[in-house]
Amino acid sequence: IIGFGYGFSSSITALLGNALGKKKYKLASIYAHKGLIFVPIIGLILSILGYFFSPSLFMLLGAKEEYLQISLDYINPILFGAIFFMFNFSLNSILVATGDTKTYRNSLIFGFFANLALNPLFMYGFLFIPAMGIKGIALATVLIQVINMFYLFYKVLQTKLIHFEKLEYFIPNIKVYKQFFVQGMPASINMLTMAIGSLILTYFVSHYGMYAVAGYGIGYRVEQLMLLPALGLSTAVLTLVSNN
């Protein structure tokens, strides 16, 4: 989900940034409207595929019985909420194309602190909120994505690139979608290569039991910290070059 979201949102940023750089504001607005719908459509497709194929994938990685159920308890709410993840990717791509990287940063900071509060609340329950265990973490994540979506949408409306004066701008267009796909697929594959590599490693690590998988998962998260500055700089370069 994140691999495709990152890849296709970068394609929107590139094309939108190029249009802004050429002062083709109508074209930029069309890209913004089409992109806003395009990425969530990808998310909807991934949700459906994920729901049917994730059990097989988890079993391939060594999950079974209660272990498998815990995995599904977490991933299913995430899959159902994928469309909100993707809306945030598309909204952020529009903001980044205009040079605004602070709004998404603010949403992530909010998400961090909201997770600290909501994760234990949903996991262990309180008052009328039932204890949901691992599923509670996923539901908290989706809820935060929904809240962030409204905030990002508010900021995007302020750019004037998205408006409701011409609703036909929102209608899917094969020609524009093809541009997004051609531009975004290589970037998606870059991210997917890392994800698939992680799956392969998890498959071999799973032979040593669930504690080994948990340890590897933690290590992989720490490793990603080293990658984040590079992703941030690449986003900055993409915005500046496309606009110029």
Side-chain angles (χ1 to χ4, degrees):
I1 292 169
I2 293 172
F4 279 111
Y6 180 84
F8 286 116
S9 65
S10 67
S11 73
I12 296 169
T13 298
L15 291 167
L16 181 52
N18 270 267
L20 290 172
K22 293 175 182 175
K23 302 190 186 304
K24 296 182 177 180
Y25 299 116
K26 181 180 178 180
L27 179 61
S29 184
I30 290 172
Y31 279 140
H33 284 80
K34 304 297 187 194
L36 182 65
I37 304 299
F38 174 72
V39 183
I41 288 174
I42 298 293
L44 190 60
I45 294 169
L46 290 174
S47 295
I48 296 168
L49 292 174
Y51 180 76
F52 288 107
F53 289 105
S54 60
S56 300
L57 184 58
F58 283 131
M59 285 188 282
L60 179 67
L61 296 175
K64 53 188 176 183
E65 298 172 359
E66 185 185 357
Y67 191 9
L68 174 61
Q69 188 56 52
I70 291 172
S71 300
L72 293 173
D73 283 346
Y74 177 77
I75 201 64
N76 283 338
I78 295 293
L79 289 170
F80 289 127
I83 191 167
F84 303 115
F85 284 83
M86 292 307 209
F87 262 119
N88 288 342
F89 273 118
S90 58
L91 289 166
N92 182 53
S93 69
I94 297 168
L95 292 171
V96 169
T98 65
D100 179 3
T101 55
K102 293 180 180 179
T103 296
Y104 194 58
R105 176 206 65 187
N106 294 343
S107 73
L108 292 177
I109 292 172
F110 164 77
F112 170 77
F113 287 107
N115 266 308
L116 290 180
L118 292 179
N119 281 350
L121 185 65
F122 285 9
M123 282 177 70
Y124 304 116
F126 184 72
L127 296 178
F128 61 89
I129 299 173
M132 292 178 277
I134 294 294
K135 187 186 294 184
I137 299 177
L139 289 172
T141 301
V142 172
L143 176 60
I144 291 165
Q145 290 293 324
V146 173
I147 295 169
N148 282 340
M149 181 183 70
F150 285 110
Y151 169 61
L152 291 171
F153 189 59
Y154 167 73
K155 298 295 286 188
V156 165
L157 288 177
Q158 291 183 325
T159 67
K160 307 298 183 184
L161 286 168
I162 295 285
H163 53 75
F164 298 96
E165 296 166 13
K166 294 186 176 181
L167 295 179
E168 62 268 24
Y169 280 11
F170 289 103
I171 298 172
N173 181 286
I174 299 299
K175 184 179 178 181
V176 175
Y177 279 15
K178 184 179 178 182
Q179 287 181 279
F180 289 149
F181 191 83
V182 170
Q183 183 82 16
M185 200 60 200
S188 295
I189 291 172
N190 290 343
M191 298 294 289
L192 287 172
T193 302
M194 290 186 286
I196 293 168
S198 174
L199 289 175
I200 293 170
L201 286 169
T202 303
Y203 170 77
F204 288 110
V205 172
S206 68
H207 289 60
Y208 296 94
M210 59 180 160
Y211 293 110
V213 174
Y216 168 70
I218 294 169
Y220 185 68
R221 293 296 184 188
V222 173
E223 179 190 340
Q224 286 182 319
L225 290 175
M226 314 304 168
L227 183 67
L228 292 176
L231 289 175
L233 289 170
S234 69
T235 301
V237 172
L238 172 63
T239 304
L240 292 169
V241 172
S242 64
N243 272 271
N244 287 281

